[in-house]
Amino acid sequence: MHLFLWAFFREFLSNCLLGTGIFSLFFFFGESSRLLELALLVSGQRTAVFLRSLCFLYAKYWLSVSGFIVPMAMLFGVALTISRMQEDRELLAMASLGAAIHRSLTFVALLLGCVASYLMAPLIHEIIPKTKLSIKSFAYEGTRLDNNFHIEPKTWIDLTNAQIYAASVHGNKMEDVVIYARRSDGGEGDTRADALYKVTGEKASYQIAVSTALNAPRPQAQLLLNIERGHLEYPDRLKSGNTTICRFQTYENSIPLRIESTPEPGVREYTSSELRRKILAWAQDYEENQKNLSAAKTEISTRGTLALSPISLTLISSIITLRLDKKSKGFGFGLSLALLGSYWIVLVLASTVGMPGIANPLYIGLGLFLNSLIK
């Protein structure tokens, strides 16, 4: 019996890994375009940075959805393993020897679910929220102009209030530079003060200057430009329609860069311990924070349900698969998908009414009821 259970466990692990791969691809397929877009936005045309960013994002994203993938993979592993053993008559052979094989496999499946739930609790309550926040922070930090500003050669860079073009770029050095920007020295009521001016130069260099005011909602940044040997063209303020052209050896200019404020974590990006402290703080002003309180309580309840989901899924999967006694591995694959679909339907319905905590007991009850109907 011990050798049989060990063989069951080894095959379960291989099928569980197969399920992990299948369901990981399913989640990746839905988010690949967003992850690729974010990696491209951060890296620009730098291939090495793009590949590193993409690997980082895929790893973080997988970890953020592992709370769904692991229970699904465990159900898949149990159903597929039992179906394969039924197909090869291994369960029948053990039963003919007098072994209580159904009871033993149900107990083993339940034990595997309990171990997985114990290991998943810190993952779901602490690690996954931090992972979601790190993805959000990566998107913010990766697109901040002061951290990632770079000019690509032969490409117009649009900074909203200025456009920059350079024929060649080496680090922060540029050649054959063209800049269009707005005048900033006009007096109040001067309609020409907002007119575009044009700067061209043979060579230029740039650097980012960042300053943070004490009470400012976001850091202030400027693009400092030093342009050599060129000319400046701007509308004549005295004669409308005329253009003034000035040649220079050195010209310095600064262009303000807009930096978004640091995003606040959402309810799903707080760890469960942080959410409980938030709930206590929000409860002091219930009327103002009623929506946040409801969302936080629902989120904590949903996390608890997901942490216990391996127990429900492995238990019902083993009971139903053994009860049906269909000798086909393909049947086990189809059954696992049907059981998964029914579980997520139950979870969604329970979350809709604001009681995700009842999803697991309800699913177990429905599974046992279905088991009693099968002959």
Side-chain angles (χ1 to χ4, degrees), residues 52-330:
R52 289 199 301 269
S53 300
L54 194 60
C55 291
F56 172 84
L57 288 170
Y58 269 110
K60 288 290 186 179
Y61 176 70
W62 187 90
L63 189 57
S64 71
V65 295
S66 59
F68 297 99
I69 293 175
V70 172
M72 295 165 70
M74 293 197 65
L75 182 149
F76 183 85
V78 169
L80 216 62
T81 302
I82 293 177
S83 296
R84 204 280 308 162
M85 288 184 166
Q86 288 173 333
E87 183 179 16
D88 291 346
R89 312 287 182 173
E90 293 181 23
L91 301 187
L92 181 61
M94 292 298 298
S96 66
L97 295 176
I101 195 64
H102 285 206
R103 185 184 304 172
S104 298
L105 288 182
T106 302
F107 174 77
V108 170
L110 180 60
L111 181 61
L112 290 172
C114 291
V115 172
S117 292
Y118 177 77
L119 296 176
M120 281 183 59
L123 176 71
I124 289 177
H125 288 288
E126 303 295 327
I127 298 174
I128 288 179
K130 292 180 180 178
T131 302
K132 292 179 178 179
L133 182 60
S134 69
I135 295 175
K136 190 174 184 177
S137 299
F138 176 83
Y140 169 72
E141 295 293 340
T143 54
R144 274 184 57 166
L145 286 176
D146 57 324
N147 290 339
N148 299 277
F149 182 83
H150 58 276
I151 297 176
E152 301 291 345
K154 298 181 179 180
T155 303
W156 282 100
I157 305 298
D158 189 357
L159 301 175
T160 305
N161 54 351
Q163 293 79 39
I164 303 174
Y165 175 89
S168 62
V169 181
H170 305 282
N172 70 331
K173 307 293 184 182
M174 302 177 289
E175 295 180 358
D176 298 327
V177 180
V178 180
I179 301 172
Y180 286 96
R182 301 278 178 182
R183 292 178 62 89
S184 58
D185 57 347
E188 185 177 355
D190 186 353
T191 58
R192 294 184 295 266
D194 197 38
L196 281 173
Y197 67 86
K198 178 183 178 181
V199 181
T200 59
E202 296 180 9
K203 295 182 179 181
S205 61
Y206 67 89
Q207 62 180 1
I208 305 295
V210 181
S211 61
T212 304
L214 183 61
N215 297 321
R218 60 175 66 92
Q220 307 296 317
Q222 288 188 329
L223 174 64
L224 305 181
L225 293 162
N226 188 296
I227 307 168
E228 300 177 6
R229 294 188 298 278
H231 58 270
L232 168 66
E233 302 178 24
Y234 58 92
D236 195 324
R237 298 177 60 184
L238 300 178
K239 297 181 180 180
S240 178
N242 290 349
T243 300
T244 300
I245 301 177
C246 302
R247 297 188 179 277
F248 58 82
Q249 289 296 317
T250 302
Y251 177 82
E252 295 182 351
N253 193 10
S254 62
I255 299 173
L257 300 177
R258 179 176 175 80
I259 301 177
E260 299 295 333
S261 55
T262 304
E264 290 292 328
V267 170
R268 294 182 178 181
E269 290 144 9
Y270 285 113
T271 64
S272 294
S273 56
E274 291 171 338
L275 270 182
R276 292 187 182 95
R277 289 194 293 269
K278 286 286 185 181
I279 289 173
L280 293 176
W282 288 333
Q284 302 300 321
D285 192 353
Y286 178 80
E287 293 298 329
E288 184 176 346
N289 298 306
Q290 184 176 0
K291 186 176 180 180
N292 289 333
L293 276 170
S294 177
K297 291 178 180 179
T298 301
E299 178 64 19
I300 289 180
S301 181
T302 301
R303 291 177 186 178
T305 298
L306 287 176
L308 294 174
S309 61
I311 297 176
S312 305
L313 292 173
T314 54
L315 176 63
I316 296 302
S317 174
S318 61
I319 291 175
I320 299 297
T321 308
L322 289 168
R323 183 71 170 182
L324 289 172
D325 195 23
K326 298 293 183 180
K327 303 172 177 61
S328 168
K329 196 171 183 180

Side-chain angles (χ1 to χ4, degrees), residues 318-357:
S318 61
I319 291 175
I320 299 297
T321 308
L322 289 168
R323 183 71 170 182
L324 289 172
D325 195 23
K326 298 293 183 180
K327 303 172 177 61
S328 168
K329 196 171 183 180
F331 175 81
F333 181 83
L335 178 63
S336 64
L337 295 181
L339 292 175
L340 282 175
S342 60
Y343 180 81
W344 296 124
I345 289 174
V346 170
L347 179 59
V348 169
L349 292 176
S351 299
T352 302
V353 298
M355 296 185 294

